[in-house]
Amino acid sequence: MSSTVLVVDDHPVVRDGVTMLLRSDPSLAIVGSAESGHAAIERVAELCPDLVLLDLRLPDMLAPEVIAGLRREHPRAKIVVFTAHGDHQGVVAALEAGANGGLLKDVAGTDLAAALRRVLHGERVVDPRIMPDDGERSNALARSGLTRREYEVLRLAAQGKTNPEIAQATGLTRNTVKTYLQSALHKLGARNRVEAIGKASEAGLL
């Protein structure tokens, strides 16, 4: 029995390429594709695939928003984000939003199929080229005393996002975002978010 896969990417070449790569693996069957976040959420409700291969950069929605929508419609689906670049921050945000893995688009067909099978068996699979410094960052995080959520909110603030945008990306309320930011400021000994971002960068967190 094949596991079913939905491919979400705004580039037809990528969608067709993935279909070609996975066609030779009898354990995986592509059941559909979507070119945007909104289309992906509609299709996952309709098709109920076992796994969603999700482009990290879609034109209409941020990956964490798409993941939240996919989870609402089909909570049991495994979600793997797919990126053309070693986008550490984007993949971390997607994993924290509930993705089960992160892969680079230049992965060979057999490696892609193997990685997807591992995710379907319950593993979390992340290409080491995307997150080579995760150990260093984890150590810096432990030294700072920041929680994962405080770090995530601060990281989004460092990207220039406002509190309402951070709330939307993380699924938190605006008040909770404000509380996490204030707590992060306090732990970093900063008076405002600009100073906090500077201190976090110096500490190797950003």
Side-chain angles (χ1 to χ4, degrees):
M1 179 85 179
S2 299
S3 296
T4 52
V5 180
L6 173 69
V7 182
V8 184
D9 198 292
D10 59 327
H11 295 101
V13 175
V14 175
R15 294 198 301 271
D16 295 346
V18 169
T19 303
M20 292 274 292
L21 285 173
L22 297 182
R23 191 173 283 158
S24 59
D25 193 308
S27 69
L28 299 166
I30 305 252
V31 288
S33 63
E35 69 292 333
S36 68
H38 288 102
I41 293 164
E42 281 178 24
R43 303 237 52 202
V44 85
E46 172 196 328
L47 298 168
C48 295
D50 297 310
L51 184 142
V52 179
L53 190 58
L54 175 69
D55 183 18
L56 191 64
R57 301 281 171 210
L58 291 170
D60 60 335
M61 294 170 77
L62 294 168
E65 295 175 296
V66 183
I67 291 164
L70 295 173
R71 287 265 173 257
R72 267 197 310 276
E73 295 296 337
H74 185 31
R76 290 191 309 281
K78 302 291 186 185
I79 300 169
V80 176
V81 289
F82 213 32
T83 177
H85 318 285
D87 185 349
H88 177 98
Q89 294 188 338
V91 174
V92 168
L95 292 170
E96 291 189 348
N100 304 97
L103 300 172
L104 285 173
K105 289 185 181 178
D106 66 357
V107 65
T110 49
D111 294 343
L112 174 62
L116 297 186
R117 283 199 304 271
R118 284 170 60 198
V119 170
L120 286 160
H121 286 128
E123 287 184 55
R124 183 160 117 154
V125 179
V126 181
D127 190 305
R129 290 171 297 168
I130 300 173
M131 298 171 71
D133 62 342
D134 205 36
E136 282 174 38
R137 191 154 302 188
S138 294
N139 291 339
L141 198 58
R143 283 195 303 273
S144 72
L146 293 180
T147 65
R148 280 269 166 202
R149 271 300 194 193
E150 287 163 357
Y151 164 68
E152 173 65 3
V153 167
L154 188 63
R155 191 182 61 71
L156 291 168
Q159 291 174 15
K161 293 196 181 341
T162 62
N163 285 11
E165 286 170 337
I166 295 170
Q168 192 176 17
T170 56
L172 300 168
T173 66
R174 292 183 192 188
N175 279 343
T176 306
V177 167
K178 194 174 171 187
T179 302
Y180 279 134
L181 265 178
Q182 285 172 339
S183 178
L185 260 63
H186 176 70
K187 287 178 181 177
L188 291 166
R191 287 163 300 189
N192 53 49
R193 70 164 69 195
V194 175
E195 200 174 300
I197 291 161
K199 284 178 180 272
S201 295
E202 285 167 24
L205 287 166
L206 298 172

